[in-house]
Amino acid sequence: MLTYQSFFEHELKKLIQEAVEARKENLALGNGTVDFAAYRNQVGVVAGLRLALELCDEANRVCEQKERTG
């Protein structure tokens, strides 16, 4: 059974990944990118969301390491 924190992390990562996929789809189809500035903004948002996922993984590694070393 998942703890609240594990469940929260799983759901947060899922929501972030869905947001990334939605923005990637919009970029691929040209939706909502009327000019280069809007396109660049959306690319930046995708990059930021991916960074958030990487930081979640890094936080997990730190927590697991501290848990092992006590």
Side-chain angles (χ1 to χ4, degrees), residues 24-68:
K24 282 174 34 182
E25 185 176 320
N26 282 343
L27 286 169
L29 298 175
N31 298 338
T33 53
V34 293
D35 60 10
F36 184 70
Y39 172 82
R40 192 171 60 178
N41 181 307
Q42 288 302 305
V43 170
V45 170
V46 169
L49 290 170
R50 285 185 173 164
L51 177 60
L53 288 173
E54 291 173 17
L55 292 173
C56 284
D57 292 338
E58 180 63 26
N60 259 336
R61 283 190 289 278
V62 169
C63 291
E64 288 172 1
Q65 185 178 22
K66 286 196 182 246
E67 196 172 72
R68 281 188 223 128

Side-chain angles (χ1 to χ4, degrees), residues 2 5-15:
L2 292 174
Q5 289 83 9
S6 296
F7 182 67
F8 177 84
E9 177 189 351
H10 172 76
E11 289 300 313
L12 179 60
K13 284 182 170 183
K14 188 169 77 172
L15 290 169

